[in-house]
Amino acid sequence: MVNPAQTDAVILVGGRGTRLRPLTNNTPKPMLPTANYPFLQHLLARIKAAGITHVVLGTSFKAEVFEEYFGDGSEMGLEIEYVVEEEALGTGGAIRNVYEKLRNETVMVFNGDVLGDTDLLAVLGTHQDKNADLTMHLVRVQDPRAFGCVPTDADGKVLDFLEKTEDPPTDQINAGIYVFRRELIAEIPAGRVVSVEREVFPRFLEDGRRFYGHVDSSYWRDMGRPDDFVHGSSDLVRGIASSPLLDGRTGEALVDDSAGVAAGVLLLGGTAVGRGSEVGAGARIDGSVIFDGVTIEPGARVKDSIIASGVRIGANARIENCVIGEGAQIGARCELMGGMRVWSGVSIPDNGVRFSSDA
Ligand code: GDD
Ligand code: MG
């Protein structure tokens, strides 16, 4: 059995998170509050629970934010190091860039935006059983086109790697966890942009490396899009996806101790309410992520939406399937729906927007 204490974890957290704008204009995607913790904290807690303690974060966009929050990791019982890319190096370049920090022969690399329950020790076990150079966690999804498609043979050997193809030959995809033999990382070209998906994996296949898949049917979700982000957060709150940070605290809603929720408020569907947020009487919040310092006035209804820090939602407003950026002010009785995104700081006056079929 691979000893997790002799395994390095590397987490890729340098992406721009463009699909989550405006939330990611000033905050890196892995730091967005998810079930009231920065998303990355859930992943770090899973890594720690598996017995891995040395973690290297490959950062670029807003690099300083990670170290300000997690420091040396000792509060979580981890040893966290940071490697900053001045210019983003891509997923492969980022992995190569942390090489000098690695201490062990076995290196577990994580995409920093995947919410999952997979048994990390089982992935390490497959890596060892197959005596693999590289082992990749794979899951089956309904629509593989947005991911890396990875056919394998009966023995689990990877046959091909097709990043974001319109015509995927299988529904089995790259779930964003890789176990590398350390020497292979040294072979990734240094000092330039490299995509691990488009350049490194195909080259390893051409070179006949021992490249295996570890397939399971564990909970899995890429948090890169708003609908996945809200569902992922609500699945954590309800315990459908697990996190060591929430053990014993799951239910219909998760409300920070410092938040104020008036009588008669309905909080449903795995809603999370962050620090210092206030929810007024008669409001109903369903399946939504409410960041810190948000004010939701009486009678407002919020469903399947992400409400960033400092936002005010006016009385009797209705917000459904929306992303409301930091500090935005939504006037009373506004109705916002259908994937609308309100940019940070924008003010919409009372009755300012209305989607109504009863007009
Ligand atoms: N350090 C660093 N530098 N990190 C990066 C960079 C970079 O230049 N570019 C992306 N990342 C990080 C992102 O922050 C994210 O955590 C991870 O790498 C993956 O990037 P995404 O932008 O989220 O990629 P994706 O979701 O489109 O596709 C990837 O993940 C899928 C699974 O979730 C691919 O690996 C697919 O093959 C895979 O199926
Ligand atoms: Mg992603």
Side-chain angles (χ1 to χ4, degrees):
M1 185 63 204
V2 183
N3 182 351
Q6 286 168 5
T7 301
D8 294 302
V10 172
I11 312 181
L12 305 179
V13 290
R16 292 298 308 249
T18 44
R19 287 165 293 186
L20 284 175
R21 281 186 298 187
L23 304 172
T24 45
N25 286 352
N26 292 310
T27 307
K29 170 167 66 173
M31 293 304 287
L32 294 174
T34 318
N36 287 356
Y37 292 90
F39 178 75
L40 184 60
Q41 199 166 340
H42 296 288
L43 177 57
L44 288 168
R46 281 183 63 222
I47 288 171
K48 161 78 181 149
I52 300 176
T53 52
H54 180 231
V55 181
V56 187
L57 296 190
T59 68
S60 175
F61 174 60
K62 299 275 175 197
E64 64 292 348
V65 177
F66 296 96
E67 192 160 3
E68 279 162 19
Y69 189 88
F70 293 108
D72 65 2
S74 53
E75 268 180 43
M76 292 191 74
L78 294 168
E79 190 186 339
I80 303 180
E81 296 191 87
Y82 303 84
V83 178
V84 182
E85 297 149 44
E86 293 308 329
E87 299 283 336
L89 289 171
T91 47
I95 297 170
R96 177 63 179 85
N97 200 44
V98 306
Y99 180 72
E100 302 301 328
K101 296 281 187 198
L102 302 175
R103 299 173 183 170
N104 298 287
E105 289 311 311
T106 308
V107 183
M108 201 167 211
V109 178
F110 297 81
N111 280 351
D113 66 340
V114 170
L115 175 61
D117 271 351
T118 195
D119 179 349
L120 301 180
L121 297 181
V123 182
L124 285 172
T126 299
H127 183 69
Q128 186 172 48
D129 293 347
K130 300 293 183 192
N131 189 23
D133 292 320
L134 174 61
T135 304
M136 179 180 287
H137 179 218
L138 307 175
V139 289
R140 303 204 131 84
V141 293
Q142 290 226 315
D143 183 359
R145 288 173 302 176
F147 303 105
C149 177
V150 191
T152 49
D153 72 10
D155 189 37
K157 200 167 194 299
V158 172
L159 299 173
D160 207 351
F161 190 98
L162 304 150
E163 181 68 7
K164 301 194 174 90
T165 175
E166 269 308 305
D167 194 15
T170 158
D171 59 358
Q172 191 171 276
I173 60 128
N174 166 18
I177 300 177
Y178 323 124
V179 188
F180 277 88
R181 244 181 351 98
R182 178 170 55 177
E183 301 89 278
L184 259 76
I185 293 179
E187 292 178 20
I188 300 173
R192 69 164 168 90
V193 175
V194 181
S195 159
V196 79
E197 297 89 351
R198 294 181 193 278
E199 186 173 341
V200 177
F201 296 148
R203 208 191 72 208
F204 285 170
L205 284 169
E206 265 171 40
D207 294 351
R209 300 292 185 172
R210 297 184 62 82
F211 187 175
Y212 282 86
H214 173 92
V215 191
D216 64 22
S217 53
S218 53
Y219 181 96
W220 187 87
R221 193 183 286 277
D222 176 299
M223 299 285 272
R225 291 186 325 200
D227 56 336
D228 281 310
F229 189 86
V230 278
H231 286 126
S233 178
S234 91
D235 285 348
L236 277 166
V237 170
R238 291 181 294 171
I240 294 167
S242 72
S243 163
L245 301 177
L246 301 175
D247 276 350
R249 289 197 286 145
T250 53
E252 274 298 286
L254 181 68
V255 179
D256 188 86
D257 288 341
S258 63
V261 177
V265 166
L266 276 178
L267 300 177
L268 308 164
T271 287
V273 181
R275 276 192 305 277
S277 290
E278 295 289 336
V279 186
R284 177 191 165 106
I285 311 180
D286 190 354
S288 295
V289 192
I290 313 298
F291 291 9
D292 301 334
V294 170
T295 304
I296 296 183
E297 296 188 341
R301 286 173 166 236
V302 179
K303 188 171 184 331
D304 298 337
S305 295
I306 310 169
I307 313 293
S309 299
V311 166
R312 186 180 61 84
I313 309 281
N316 299 312
R318 200 165 152 209
I319 314 281
E320 195 170 320
N321 261 311
C322 292
V323 177
I324 313 293
E326 250 175 75
Q329 309 280 314
I330 311 296
R333 294 172 298 280
C334 287
E335 293 185 0
L336 275 63
M337 289 176 206
M340 271 187 75
R341 299 184 190 212
V342 176
W343 237 239
S344 310
V346 165
S347 283
I348 302 179
D350 292 352
N351 304 304
V353 183
R354 197 122 202 217
F355 285 92
S356 234
S357 51
D358 59 4

